[in-house]
């Protein structure tokens, strides 16, 4: 009967060994792990991952001294994108397990962040124990200042905190110099608000996925590369026109509330955003039709839903601006009711048409698959 083998695993979720020490994970074996810890310590002596790796080696030595069969390894994720990093950790762990063939795992972590990957590890190998390495520090004011300084020196953190604040302050200064102090305040609040929504709704990951899809479509020669590029241009145009629409109505009447400014932005931008959504949908449909035709039924509804949502938003923005008697708005209050009614009906009709087409295609696909199965029998 084969002896049980324990994998002592140190997880560097934010890839400090790659980012700072230029060491590619996985790192397997006692000597290689010590070399990686030493290199990282020379690159950044205050990094907590150094202690985690040394602790993993210490646990490995203790197990070996007891006569147990053990192996030590370090795996890392991604320094800037946690989703990609977790996927990398899963793939790397599979390679380590395939190479070392352990029966259980002891996870060594330098903090709660690394333990987010526990479900990933448990799905591949039983976790017998989790050891968290805590570095003792003197809790005085100077130490707190130093910790905060190191915290903000991390490019991953500084990008999130300093960039939006710096941009907001810069826009405020520009608007103030140009003689629009009231507008400057609105710009700062708007920039901070958009950034909070951007982070709150996870749009950063969404945009990152779009960029990744753009890179993948370009490298694979897909048609969607053209449509993704066009979508970015159309989206920028839409946001620009929406922003200028807000400024136009603000110049006419600066007493409008936040809701009316949002509605004026939608009214100005929605046409271009609808076109951008349609262009993206068409590119996805063409790629799926060429490469994965069996999945066409899942994406055929995209352009219908994009059009439906866009039309309804357009009607809603026109109606709210019209009944609010916004200065310079070309639609009267009476016509606003007609806009919301017809846009809602047209939007629902588009959505229903998409669902019907998807249902018909799904039914035909099921019948085709059934006939193919009967023919093989």
């Amino acid at each position: 009967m084969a002896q049980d083998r324990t994998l002592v695993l140190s997880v560097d979720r934010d890839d400090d060994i790659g980012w700072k020490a230029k060491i590619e994970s996985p790192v397997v074996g006692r000597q290689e792990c010590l070399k990686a810890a030493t290199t990282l310590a020379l690159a950044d002596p205050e990094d907590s991952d150094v202690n985690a790796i040394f602790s993993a080696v210490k646990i490995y030595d203790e197990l070996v001294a007891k006569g147990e069969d053990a192996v030590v390894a370090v795996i890392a994720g991604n320094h800037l994108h946690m989703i990609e990093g977790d996927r990398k950790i899963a793939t790397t762990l599979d390679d380590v397990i395939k190479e070392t063939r352990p029966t259980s795992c002891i996870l060594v972590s330098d903090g709660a962040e690394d333990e987010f990957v526990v479900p990933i590890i448990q799905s591949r190998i039983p976790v017998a124990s989790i050891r968290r390495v805590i570095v003792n520090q003197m809790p005085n004011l100077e130490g707190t200042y130093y910790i905060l300084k190191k915290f903000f020196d991390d490019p991953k953190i500084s990008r999130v905190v300093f960039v939006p604040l710096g941009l907001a302050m810069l826009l405020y200064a520009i608007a103030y110099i140009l003689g629009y102090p009231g507008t400057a305040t609105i710009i700062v609040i708007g920039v901070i608000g958009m950034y909070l929504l951007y982070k709150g709704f996870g749009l950063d990951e969404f945009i990152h996925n779009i960029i990744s899809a753009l890179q993948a479509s370009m490298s694979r020669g897909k048609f969607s590369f053209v449509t993704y590029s066009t979508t970015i241009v159309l989206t920028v145009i839409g946001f620009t026109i929406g922003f200028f629409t807000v400024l136009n109505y603000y110049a006419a009447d600066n007493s409008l509330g936040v809701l009316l400014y949002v509605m004026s932005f939608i009214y100005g931008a929605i046409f271009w955003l609808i076109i951008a959504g349609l262009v993206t949908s068409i590119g996805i449909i063409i790629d799926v039709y060429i490469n994965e035709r069996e999945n066409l039924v899942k994406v055929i509804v995209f352009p219908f839903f994009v059009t439906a949502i866009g039309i309804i938003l357009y009607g809603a923005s026109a109606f709210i601006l019209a009944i609010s008697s916004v200065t310079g708005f070309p639609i009267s209050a009476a016509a606003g009711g007609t806009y919301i009614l017809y846009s809602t009906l047209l939007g629902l009709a588009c959505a229903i048409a998409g669902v019907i087409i998807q249902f018909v295609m799904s039914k035909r696909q099921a019948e085709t698959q059934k006939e193919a199965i009967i023919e093989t029998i």
Side-chain angles (χ1 to χ4, degrees):
M1 182 175 178
Q3 185 180 4
D4 292 340
R5 170 175 288 184
T6 301
L7 171 63
V8 184
L9 183 66
S10 175
V11 178
D12 178 13
R13 192 177 182 220
D14 54 0
D15 192 26
D16 285 328
I17 63 170
W19 183 264
K20 299 176 182 178
K22 311 302 180 185
I23 296 174
E24 187 68 27
S25 70
V27 180
V28 182
R30 185 180 188 278
Q31 293 302 322
E32 293 300 319
C33 288
L34 285 175
K35 180 180 177 181
T38 304
T39 306
L40 179 57
L42 291 173
D44 185 0
E46 294 146 348
D47 195 302
S48 58
D49 285 300
V50 174
N51 301 279
I53 298 174
F54 279 126
S55 180
V57 174
K58 182 176 182 293
I59 294 171
Y60 164 82
D61 289 341
E62 292 173 353
L63 293 176
V64 172
K66 294 177 183 178
E68 297 186 29
D69 188 10
V71 63
V72 61
V74 179
I75 61 176
N78 187 288
H79 190 73
L80 298 177
H81 303 291
M82 288 304 168
I83 291 180
E84 281 191 6
D86 291 345
R87 290 173 178 171
K88 179 185 174 185
I89 287 173
T91 304
T92 305
L93 180 58
D94 288 336
D95 295 337
V96 172
I97 292 174
K98 184 178 180 181
E99 178 184 346
T100 60
R101 301 188 181 278
T103 56
S104 64
C105 171
I106 296 176
L107 174 62
V108 182
S109 165
D110 68 338
E113 183 184 50
D114 288 340
E115 291 174 19
F116 281 108
V117 300
V118 168
I120 299 175
I121 298 172
Q122 287 178 327
S123 67
R124 287 159 171 79
I125 184 173
V127 177
S129 177
I130 298 176
R131 304 289 181 88
R132 180 182 294 181
V133 179
I134 299 176
V135 181
N136 295 325
Q137 296 183 10
M138 184 177 295
N140 53 25
L141 182 61
E142 182 181 358
T144 303
Y145 165 77
Y146 184 72
I147 292 172
L148 290 175
K149 182 177 181 298
K150 293 293 293 182
F151 181 74
F152 287 119
D153 281 343
D154 190 331
K156 183 174 59 177
I157 304 299
S158 61
R159 243 186 4 170
V160 174
V161 177
F162 292 133
V163 171
L165 290 178
L167 178 61
M169 293 177 181
L170 180 62
L171 291 175
Y172 181 88
I174 293 174
Y176 194 87
I177 291 173
L178 294 177
Y180 299 100
T183 306
T185 304
I186 292 176
I187 289 175
V188 171
I189 295 175
V191 169
I192 295 175
M194 285 190 294
Y195 177 75
L196 293 176
L197 292 174
Y198 172 78
K199 296 296 291 185
F201 284 111
L203 295 179
D204 52 342
E205 291 293 342
F206 175 72
I207 292 176
H208 173 68
N209 291 336
I210 289 179
I211 295 174
S212 298
L214 182 63
Q215 293 173 340
S217 62
M218 180 178 65
S219 62
R220 297 171 186 172
K222 290 186 176 182
F223 180 76
S224 58
F225 171 71
V226 178
T227 58
Y228 281 141
S229 303
T230 306
T231 298
I232 293 173
V233 175
L234 292 173
T235 302
V236 171
I237 293 174
F239 272 81
T240 303
I241 293 179
F243 179 72
F244 279 115
T245 304
V246 173
L247 291 181
N248 182 42
Y249 290 122
Y250 175 79
D253 183 2
N254 59 9
S255 63
L256 301 179
V258 175
L259 175 63
L260 294 180
Y261 287 129
V262 172
M263 290 299 104
S264 61
F265 176 84
I266 294 175
Y267 181 79
I270 194 65
F271 175 75
W272 294 96
L273 297 181
I274 292 174
I275 296 177
L278 288 175
V279 169
T280 300
S281 301
I282 292 172
I284 293 173
I285 290 173
I286 292 175
D287 276 345
V288 170
Y289 180 79
I290 295 174
N291 302 301
E292 308 170 58
R293 195 167 301 183
E294 68 278 3
N295 294 324
L296 183 62
V297 67
K298 299 178 182 179
V299 299
I300 195 66
V301 75
F302 286 177
F304 295 95
F305 279 9
V306 168
T307 304
I309 295 172
I311 292 175
I312 293 174
L313 284 176
Y314 174 78
S317 62
F319 173 71
I320 292 174
L321 291 173
I323 63 173
S324 301
S325 301
V326 175
T327 304
F329 191 66
I331 300 174
S332 64
T338 305
Y339 268 77
I340 187 63
L341 175 63
Y342 284 112
S343 65
T344 302
L345 292 176
L346 185 58
L348 291 175
C350 285
I352 293 171
V355 171
I356 292 174
I357 292 175
Q358 187 182 50
F359 174 77
V360 172
M361 291 185 61
S362 178
K363 188 175 180 180
R364 288 183 179 178
Q365 187 180 59
E367 291 175 353
T368 304
Q369 292 175 349
K370 185 177 180 180
E371 291 174 359
I373 292 173
I374 293 175
E375 289 178 0
T376 55
I377 294 175

